[in-house]
Amino acid sequence: MATTVIAGGGVAGLALALALGGRGHRVRVLERGDPPPDGPVVKSARLWRRPLVPQAAHDHILNGLGVRALRRHAPAVLDAALAEGARLLDLNSLAPPGPDGAAAPRDDELTTLVVRRTVLDVLLYRAAAALPRVTIHHNVVARGLSLAPSGRSGQRVAGVVTDGGGGLPADVVVDASGRASRSRGWLAAAGVAVPADLSSPSRLRAFGRFYRLRDPDGPPPGPLNRGNAAGGIWDHYSAVLHPADNDVFAITFGALPEDRAADGLRTADGFTAACRLSPLLGAWVTAEAAQPLGPVRVIGMPPNLLRGTATDPRPRVTGLLQVGDAACVTDPMFGRGLSTALEHAFELAELWADGAPSAAAAAELAEGLLGPWYALGAHDSWARIARWRAACGLPPLPAADRPRAPVPADRVAAALAAAATDPVVWRGVSRVQNTLATPAEVYGDPEFLARLPAAPAGGAAAGPPGLRPPTHAELRDAIAAQEEG
């Protein structure tokens, strides 16, 4: 049976190893970092030092697509997460009442899992490592490819070259190196032409902090207006709270990198002041409600990317694949990356037979599964950046750079307005928001469109209705007051 080498032991790499190993394939995972410590899962997650994966220490969302992927392909991992304190949140409780509000097929897919990324990583790691045909090598880096002739003029993968000059034979090599997508460099070093990527900016930096509720048995400090979250994406910044496992929750602010008023969010006092001003968050951060679990963490976010190596149906080298963020990155603000990485890994494993899936099949999967979310992320990121720059007094973006809208803005605005009272429209909008149906599938449905009222031009408003966030000047002054104090 063929040997598969997976370069990277993050969510996508471990999920693929779990899926392939469960089918009896021989898998070797090359991970640059250390393994998680032994012991209880939550403690192991807390003690696992991963300087090469800084994003793991930030808030992540497992939306409806991610829950569905675990239910279908890794139910034991989902059960283990629930046993370790994670929770499933049913978003159907947010559906408006109405004569068409009866439960519909697949409504159970509108469920999210609240769990810290680090806890999920430990569970995936242990599930994959327990399989007899999966071997995880630590502190090993894949530096390049070993290639062999294939056909008249092609090349195929024969293995990987590791740091130190060693090598491992392989019939299939999967790049699971995350957003760095290191296989591009491997190909270039071998003199192989690398297909062009699609790229569009996210222009985002995030400030995040975790807390633990002091009274887990009491009522929550405030409502979750988004079902699995509180807060919103506003006209010059975002401020969102997500519950997690074991009475933990995270608050994350998003801001433009060039918005210097947000610099003070790095400090605990500035962060708390912004929480107090932001809708629905202030009650959660009082000393009586919650205890901070660490400092404010700051991270710059990558652009939206769809890798040409993942979508090329006629690659120059056969037997080389990409999975998860190595294939596609979408704006983290919209919370799709973790779920699409799991779905991509599990669906890619479905294509395996005696060897690797065909290049055409893998490219079709990447284009069909990841392409629509890249397109939506590119457009929505651009619209958010333009709105935020205007509110911050920054020069506008060049109109010529604006990505094409997958759905006309007035149609989206009409759907968001109708979703407040029409359960059928709410269901369609929610399935897009949870990555369960593409915009084309929902907004191309004649029955869905027939339920939309006329909407004024200009698109959807920023943030949930009925809530007033601070102006840019108000937020700037509140943060500055803490710095001066």
Side-chain angles (χ1 to χ4, degrees), residues 121-139:
D121 282 354
V122 171
L123 293 171
L124 282 170
Y125 179 94
R126 293 185 178 180
L131 296 174
R133 297 182 69 82
V134 174
T135 304
I136 304 178
H137 304 266
H138 287 279
N139 300 302

Side-chain angles (χ1 to χ4, degrees), residues 363-382:
E364 183 180 4
L365 173 64
E367 194 71 63
L369 171 62
L370 305 175
W373 304 112
Y374 166 79
L376 184 62
H379 171 268
D380 289 353
S381 294
W382 196 97

Side-chain angles (χ1 to χ4, degrees), residues 11 23 34 40 51 56 99 120 124 133 135 152 178 192 197 201 222 253 265 274 313 327 336 361 390 392 429 435 440:
V11 166
R23 291 169 168 79
D34 294 327
L120 182 62
L124 282 170
R133 297 182 69 82
T135 304
R152 292 185 177 180
V192 177
D197 300 331
F253 288 93
L265 291 169
R336 302 185 185 107
C392 294
V429 169
T435 329

Side-chain angles (χ1 to χ4, degrees), residues 50 53-60 116-118 121 210 299:
R50 306 170 75 188
V53 194
Q55 67 272 23
H58 286 260
D59 183 29
H60 282 71
R116 281 169 286 183
R117 157 78 186 269
T118 51
D121 282 354
F210 281 92
I299 191 169

Side-chain angles (χ1 to χ4, degrees), residues 145-151 153-159 170-174 187 192 309 312-322 355-360 362:
L145 296 170
S146 297
L147 301 178
S150 177
S153 58
Q155 298 183 89
R156 63 174 176 82
V157 163
D171 302 283
V172 184
V173 173
V174 182
L187 291 170
V192 177
T309 47
D312 184 1
R314 296 180 295 276
R316 283 72 168 175
V317 173
T318 59
L320 175 64
L321 305 172
Q322 294 75 27
S358 71

Side-chain angles (χ1 to χ4, degrees), residues 30-32 138-144 160-167:
L30 308 185
E31 168 53 38
R32 296 187 297 165
H138 287 279
N139 300 302
V140 177
V141 180
R143 297 292 187 189
V160 294
V161 178
T162 60
D163 46 353

